[in-house]
Every structure is written in C-alpha cells, then in structure tokens.
C-alpha cells in the first residue's frame, strides 16, 4: 500500500509559499526581501496551512507593503494576497 501511495505522489506537483516584504525609505531605492518555503510533492494541505498562517500573521502585525504567494510547481500561482501598495512599488522600482 505504501508503494502505491509513493507512486501516486510522484505524479503530484510540488508547492511553495513565497513571502515578499518591501522596505521603503524615502530617497533610497526600494529594497525587497523574499523568503521561499518549499514543500514536497503532494503536500498541498501543508502549503495552504502555511499560506493561511502567513496571511493571518501579516494582517495581525500590519506589515505593509508585503505580498504572499502560494505557488504550484515552478510558476503557477494558486493564491495571492497583497498588503499595501505593492503594485505601485513594482512600477516605481522598475522606473528607478
């Protein structure tokens, strides 16, 4: 039975949770601090639980600007939460 579960899990995708916080100091370039937590194949529930904890903690502590991503595989974003003017910072950072 264990071999069967391992076989099925080998076809499931990996998941990761990415937490990015932006540091804004007037007169200086915007700094970005990103942390990525990777999970094994088929561990969607653990990744989702960590994503929800990060969203709750970020709302509770009022980190802004910040963003949290739940990523399936390497690129597909399953869920995303943004706190503060993240979109404006990305445009500002690209133009600077």
């Amino acid at each position: 039975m264990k071999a069967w579960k391992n076989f099925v899990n080998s076809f499931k995708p990996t998941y990761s949770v990415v937490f990015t916080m932006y540091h804004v100091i007037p007169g200086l370039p915007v700094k970005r601090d990103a942390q990525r937590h990777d999970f094994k194949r088929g561990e969607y529930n653990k990744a989702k639980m960590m994503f929800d904890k990060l969203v709750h903690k970020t709302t509770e502590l009022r980190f802004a600007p910040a963003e949290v991503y739940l990523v399936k595989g390497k690129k597909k974003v399953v869920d995303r939460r943004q706190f503060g003017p993240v979109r404006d910072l990305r445009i500002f950072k690209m133009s600077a």
Side-chain angles (χ1 to χ4, degrees):
M1 190 64 159
K2 189 175 182 179
W4 176 254
K5 284 185 181 180
N6 288 338
F7 176 73
V8 171
N9 277 344
S10 68
F11 292 104
K12 291 183 178 180
T14 58
Y15 292 94
S16 58
V17 177
V18 181
F19 177 74
T20 307
M21 190 163 64
Y22 296 92
H23 302 281
V24 180
I25 300 173
L28 295 175
V30 177
K31 292 185 181 179
R32 187 183 119 172
D33 182 27
Q35 297 178 356
R36 181 183 188 105
H37 302 278
D38 294 321
F39 294 90
K40 295 179 183 177
R41 294 186 176 272
E43 290 187 343
Y44 172 77
N45 292 332
K46 288 183 182 179
K48 181 66 174 166
M49 189 169 47
M50 178 149 182
F51 175 82
D52 292 338
K53 282 182 183 179
L54 276 172
V55 168
H56 176 71
K57 200 64 160 176
T58 305
T59 347
E60 182 180 295
L61 296 176
R62 295 186 178 133
F63 284 137
E67 57 188 345
V68 183
Y69 290 102
L70 176 61
V71 181
K72 177 181 178 180
K74 293 187 179 184
K75 294 183 180 180
K76 185 175 180 182
V77 177
V78 177
D79 203 357
R80 166 181 48 182
R81 296 281 191 269
Q82 294 181 343
F83 304 94
V86 174
R87 184 175 293 161
D88 297 334
L89 287 175
R90 285 184 176 176
I91 293 170
F92 176 72
K93 188 175 181 184
M94 290 179 144
S95 65

